[in-house]
Amino acid sequence: MTLLEAKGLRKAFGGVVAARDVSLTVERGEMVALIGPNGAGKSTVFNMIGGQLRADAGSVLLDGVAITDATPQDRFRKGIGRTFQVAQAFLSMTVLENIQMALISRHREALRLWTPARERYREDALQLLAQVGMEGTANRSCAELAYGDVKRVELAIALAGDPKLILMDEPTAGMAPAERSALMELTDTMTRSRRLGVLFTEHDMDVVFGHADRVLVLLGGQIIASGPPEEIRRNPKVREAYLGDTHGLRPLLTSSP
Ligand code: ADP
Ligand code: MG
């Protein structure tokens, strides 16, 4: 069964139609990139799938079950993880504590007070940290971490929810190219080994073409093309769509296969 199916999603902000009849699917073990120039409507689509925005029309199904009206918390429990949301408490806790909190929240044990929080899920949390290559920082405060390391911890937090699907809206924004590749490489490995579905957006076309199984191109709130990376790269409509977009044009046209 299809993991994620979005059908006919629409969202308008006043007179601006940010998403118009957007339909897409993500299968288990698949990485799907949603690309498009700034203002194309990518975040709007992510937010309708994650539940932060209510769609004006259309539906979202996870494993065939409609979640169109579910809250973000509900969607999280049903298996949708996101990497961009950093809780307020994040920076005041250690790396390990953050992962433990995510595990506690997943098991809805916040009210079970007889075991001290610092002992709960300690082993599971350390294992998750090892998977993202962060076991050495377990006892450091998140506030001290380098940006790329914060992103790794965020990925571990998302994984702590045992998600079926991960939504990554510009996960590598602000990262140096080497850090960027490393995070996407890690995401790729996790996706394949856990058979997760990933929907991501990313401005670096080398990253997109290097990791996506399928690419969807959004322009003016509509999907104008979709297909395997090589097909998208050659698609004249896509090349035209990026003309004049200084952010996306050159990488798309010049990156090597
Ligand atoms: P992208 O993520 O592709 O850059 P967005 O989804 O953020 O695009 O935005 C799509 C369009 O919707 C833009 O024109 C943007 O200005 C508008 N928009 C997005 N969010 C809001 C909002 N909360 N209120 C009003 N307009 C919005
Ligand atoms: Mg955006």
Side-chain angles (χ1 to χ4, degrees), residues 37-44 46 169-170 201 203:
N38 285 326
K42 303 181 297 295
S43 293
T44 302
F46 272 91
D169 189 359
E170 302 204 32
T201 187
H203 281 300

Side-chain angles (χ1 to χ4, degrees), residues 4 24 26 30-35 42-47 49-50 52 79-85 132 148 150-159 163-173 175 179-192 196-204 207-208 211-212:
L4 173 74
L24 60 87
V26 178
E30 189 183 36
M31 288 183 75
V32 177
L34 183 64
I35 67 168
K42 303 181 297 295
S43 293
T44 302
V45 170
F46 272 91
N47 289 334
I49 295 170
Q52 287 74 22
I80 298 186
R82 294 191 76 145
T83 58
F84 81 101
Q85 282 171 326
V132 299
V150 169
K151 292 290 170 183
R152 281 171 179 267
V153 175
E154 279 185 51
L155 183 60
I157 290 173
L159 292 172
K164 302 172 184 171
L165 174 76
I166 298 188
L167 304 175
M168 305 176 97
D169 189 359
E170 302 204 32
T172 68
M175 281 189 171
E179 269 185 334
R180 227 180 253 187
S181 314
L183 183 75
M184 291 315 292
E185 197 58 54
L186 177 64
T187 305
D188 202 320
T189 308
M190 294 284 154
T191 309
R192 314 301 172 189
L196 305 175
V198 174
L199 182 67
F200 73 106
T201 187
E202 164 65 50
H203 281 300
D204 184 327
V207 171
V208 169
H211 294 285

Side-chain angles (χ1 to χ4, degrees), residues 178-245:
E179 269 185 334
R180 227 180 253 187
S181 314
L183 183 75
M184 291 315 292
E185 197 58 54
L186 177 64
T187 305
D188 202 320
T189 308
M190 294 284 154
T191 309
R192 314 301 172 189
S193 65
R194 293 176 172 237
R195 301 271 306 146
L196 305 175
V198 174
L199 182 67
F200 73 106
T201 187
E202 164 65 50
H203 281 300
D204 184 327
M205 291 302 135
D206 284 332
V207 171
V208 169
F209 290 119
H211 294 285
D213 299 298
R214 228 153 22 90
V215 181
L216 311 170
V217 185
L218 200 63
L219 185 71
Q222 277 179 293
I223 293 181
I224 60 158
S226 78
E230 282 320 302
E231 200 178 298
I232 291 298
R233 197 200 292 275
R234 285 192 294 266
N235 184 319
K237 250 199 317 193
V238 176
R239 298 170 83 103
E240 190 186 332
Y242 272 86
L243 284 173
D245 176 50

